[in-house]
């Protein structure tokens, strides 16, 4: 057994772990980064990047199928999943190579293997021990299932769905959250019949109710079936199909069942509870500065209760590195973290939903700008809108957008939210024409009392 010391030992090389490692190295700290799989974690290899590659391939398929709308004679001959997967894997591979190069350039010591936190400030890997003045736990999350629902064969999670070598003719998606609606969107664009089952009353239930209604309307037009407010009771499979039973007594059949019921914290088997870490439902509990109950031990990303988003973990990793280095970084505002669901149409938001704002402030002012008044959106043939939520006698505290490509607008929306801007602050800003950014500008013009291109 060897015992290596460093300023910082990080367990987990996903978005939060590697961001913490690179920023700490920039600040002159010695860093050991332990990862059992590949640098980049779930986001790069089994999450954000590969799913968005599939979604772009789906967009290309839709464009080919719908060319006549634009006077372009095109048609969709079929989906070559080998080609789609090659494209996807090429992107992942290139980014992975880049991360490895950054680790080397930053002189981060990479240790391959499954790490166990043995406390108070040590991680053990394959019998070797790595002791840090500070330790960061960044072991991420895993795709959850439901009690009694065994993953295997035709019952899959997003991990297996990313590597399918065929397009299912019929697919059932259990869960209408982000992962569920994104895969439903991909498979529908690829030509599959898709049914979503969601126990809660609406799709993307964590988003503003207005956004759910917009998405549901768009999915109906696309031919995506969904059943909300109904519970799953069981599933069985044969060599050729899977049957899904619902609490309503209905039975559905398909080629595949995608279990998309969320992700759980990957905390089991790492020695956390044994070392005395305070946990709840598997999540490692921290204060607002991401400190656990053990001195010098921090936790980051999906392991910590809150939004399970790669960019949240990334920023938290930077925060911890700067905290350890004594820079006293500003506490991260969870509500200010942008959220994007990349289905067709996209849903993007930052700040509070209308219901959350009412709970906080009692009453709010809202305004919805319809994309029917936006020239670029009409060129793209996308429906949707921009919803603003304003605190009484205060700034705009929530922004939600629905429509194709609106995820690219969330950066400006985040700046407006973080600025604590009043409508009158944003209304004079000039937005280039014709862009979808103008929709944000028009929404703020209207809320400031001077609406121009207002439809519906």
């Amino acid at each position: 057994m060897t015992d290596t010391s460093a300023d910082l030992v990080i367990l987990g090389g996903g978005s939060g772990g590697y961001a913490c490692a690179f920023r700490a190295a920039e600040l002159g700290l010695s860093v050991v980064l332990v990862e059992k799989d590949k640098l980049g974690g779930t986001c790069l290899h089994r999450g954000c990047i590969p799913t968005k590659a599939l979604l772009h391939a789906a967009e290309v398929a839709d464009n080919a199928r719908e060319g006549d709308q634009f006077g372009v004679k095109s048609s969709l001959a079929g989906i070559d999943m080998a080609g789609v997967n090659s494209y996807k894997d090429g992107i992942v591979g290139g980014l992975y190579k880049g991360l490895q190069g950054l680790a080397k350039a930053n002189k981060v010591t990479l240790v391959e293997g499954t790490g166990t936190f043995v406390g108070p400030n040590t991680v053990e890997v394959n019998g070797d021990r790595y002791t840090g003045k500070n330790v960061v736990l960044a072991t991420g999350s895993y795709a959850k299932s439901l009690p009694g629902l065994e993953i295997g064969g035709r019952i899959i999670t997003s991990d297996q769905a990313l590597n399918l070598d065929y397009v299912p003719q019929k697919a059932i998606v259990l869960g209408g959250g982000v992962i569920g609606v994104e895969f439903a969107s991909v498979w529908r664009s690829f030509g599959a019949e898709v049914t979503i089952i969601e126990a809660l009353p609406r799709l993307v239930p964590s988003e503003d109710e207005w956004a759910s209604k917009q998405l549901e309307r768009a999915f109906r037009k696309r031919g995506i079936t969904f059943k909300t407010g109904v519970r799953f009771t069981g599933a069985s499979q044969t060599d050729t199909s899977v049957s899904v039973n619902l609490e309503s007594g209905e039975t559905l059949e398909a080629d595949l069942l995608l279990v998309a019921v969320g992700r759980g914290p990957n905390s089991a088997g790492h020695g956390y509870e044994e070392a005395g870490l305070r946990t709840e439902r598997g999540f490692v509990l921290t204060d607002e500065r991401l400190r656990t109950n053990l001195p010098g031990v921090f936790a980051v990303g999906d392991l910590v209760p809150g939004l399970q988003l790669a960019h949240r973990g990334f920023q938290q990793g930077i925060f911890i590195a700067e905290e350890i280095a004594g820079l006293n970084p500003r506490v991260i505002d969870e509500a200010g973290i942008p959220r994007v669901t990349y289905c067709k149409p996209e849903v993007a938001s930052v700040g509070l939903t209308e219901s959350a704002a009412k709970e906080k402030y009692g009453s709010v002012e809202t305004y919805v700008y319809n994309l029917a008044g936006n020239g670029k959106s009409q060129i793209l043939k996308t429906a949707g809108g921009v919803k603003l939520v304003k605190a009484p006698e205060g700034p705009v505290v929530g922004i939600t957008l629905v429509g194709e490509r609106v995820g690219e607008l969330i950066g400006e929306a985040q700046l407006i939210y973080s600025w604590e801007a009043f409508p009158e602050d944003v209304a004079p800003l000039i937005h280039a024409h014709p862009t979808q950014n103008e929709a944000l500008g028009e929404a703020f013009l209207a809320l400031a009392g001077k609406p121009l291109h207002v439809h519906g």
Side-chain angles (χ1 to χ4, degrees):
M1 177 186 291
T2 61
D3 196 331
T4 303
S5 297
D7 292 322
L8 180 59
V9 175
I10 302 170
L11 180 53
S15 300
Y18 83 71
C20 187
F22 294 174
R23 181 62 180 135
E26 285 178 351
L27 294 170
L29 303 179
S30 57
V31 182
V32 172
L33 179 60
V34 179
E35 172 55 51
K36 68 177 181 179
D37 194 0
K38 292 180 177 180
L39 194 60
T42 294
C43 172
L44 177 55
H45 300 284
R46 298 177 301 281
C48 319
I49 298 300
T51 55
K52 277 55 186 180
L54 289 181
L55 282 154
H56 182 65
E59 181 183 0
V60 172
D62 286 331
N63 288 341
R65 186 186 290 113
E66 298 163 1
D68 282 354
Q69 294 184 47
F70 308 97
V72 177
K73 297 295 182 182
S74 63
S75 61
L76 180 64
I79 304 296
D80 172 16
M81 281 308 299
V84 170
N85 286 331
S86 176
Y87 153 70
K88 165 180 64 71
D89 295 343
I91 293 168
V92 171
L95 291 172
Y96 175 49
K97 186 176 180 181
L99 270 185
Q100 289 175 303
L102 286 170
K104 186 175 181 180
N106 282 298
K107 296 182 173 57
V108 170
T109 301
L110 283 177
V111 177
E112 293 184 6
T114 300
T116 302
F117 177 60
V118 295
N121 58 350
T122 299
V123 173
E124 186 174 304
V125 187
N126 300 324
D128 294 325
R129 291 195 164 201
Y130 300 87
T131 300
K133 294 177 183 177
N134 292 277
V135 172
V136 176
L137 307 176
T139 46
S141 62
Y142 67 93
K144 291 198 299 185
S145 185
L146 294 176
L149 184 56
E150 187 175 344
I151 304 301
R154 294 182 177 274
I155 301 175
I156 64 175
T157 69
S158 57
D159 290 348
Q160 295 80 41
L162 282 169
N163 296 306
L164 284 180
D165 58 3
Y166 67 97
V167 177
Q169 289 186 339
K170 296 178 72 173
I172 297 171
V173 177
L174 182 58
V178 174
I179 296 170
V181 299
E182 287 187 352
F183 273 101
S185 189
V186 167
W187 285 338
R188 183 58 184 153
S189 294
F190 284 173
E193 294 180 33
V194 183
T195 300
I196 303 171
I197 301 165
E198 171 55 55
L200 293 175
R202 54 192 176 89
L203 297 182
V204 290
S206 63
E207 293 290 347
D208 195 282
E209 187 173 353
W210 167 81
S212 295
K213 289 178 180 177
Q214 295 288 313
L215 183 62
E216 289 171 0
R217 183 180 299 126
F219 270 21
R220 286 190 193 98
K221 288 183 69 174
R222 294 187 60 196
I224 297 174
T225 302
F226 53 90
K227 298 177 182 293
T228 55
V230 61
R231 291 188 177 277
F232 161 91
T233 57
S236 59
Q237 60 178 308
T238 67
D239 291 341
T240 58
S241 66
V242 59
S243 297
V244 175
N245 302 318
L246 305 181
E247 197 174 50
S248 61
E250 190 176 3
T251 299
L252 307 175
E253 293 208 359
D255 304 325
L256 284 176
L257 169 62
L258 171 65
V259 182
V261 293
R263 298 185 66 84
N266 189 14
S267 56
H270 292 291
Y272 295 161
E273 291 189 7
E274 294 84 345
L277 274 170
R278 195 158 55 94
T279 63
E280 185 178 284
R281 296 179 295 111
F283 291 99
V284 174
L285 300 180
T286 70
D287 63 11
E288 65 178 6
R289 304 198 76 81
L290 301 172
R291 297 173 295 206
T292 71
N293 61 304
L294 299 183
V297 180
F298 299 78
V300 62
D302 288 1
L303 194 60
V304 178
L307 295 168
Q308 292 180 315
L309 298 170
H311 46 282
R312 172 183 181 250
F314 184 87
Q315 190 60 34
Q316 286 179 333
I318 294 171
F319 174 93
I320 291 173
E322 294 181 351
E323 177 80 353
I324 290 169
L327 300 184
N328 192 32
R330 186 173 66 180
V331 170
I332 297 168
D333 175 11
E334 289 275 320
I337 299 170
R339 310 171 290 271
V340 185
T341 303
Y342 295 87
C343 51
K344 179 184 178 181
E346 293 180 353
V347 179
S349 61
V350 67
L352 304 179
T353 63
E354 180 179 350
S355 61
K358 282 180 177 177
E359 188 175 326
K360 182 173 181 178
Y361 297 105
S363 65
V364 295
E365 184 179 355
T366 65
Y367 181 77
V368 174
Y369 176 78
N370 195 312
L371 290 187
N374 178 256
K376 186 60 181 286
S377 295
Q378 295 311 297
I379 290 167
L380 296 174
K381 288 188 176 291
T382 183
V386 177
K387 179 174 180 177
L388 306 180
V389 179
K390 180 183 176 295
E393 307 300 323
V396 169
V397 295
I399 303 172
T400 300
L401 308 98
V402 178
E404 290 191 44
R405 304 188 185 182
V406 296
E408 301 299 328
L409 307 183
I410 202 63
E412 181 182 357
Q414 182 193 26
L415 290 174
I416 291 168
Y417 168 85
S418 299
W419 173 18
E420 298 183 348
F422 283 67
E424 295 78 12
D425 295 323
V426 181
L429 301 180
I430 299 171
H431 293 78
H433 177 76
T435 64
Q436 286 187 292
N437 283 86
E438 286 180 285
L440 269 172
E442 292 275 359
F444 277 92
L445 277 169
L447 200 56
K450 39 187 176 182
L452 293 181
H453 301 98
V454 176
H455 288 243

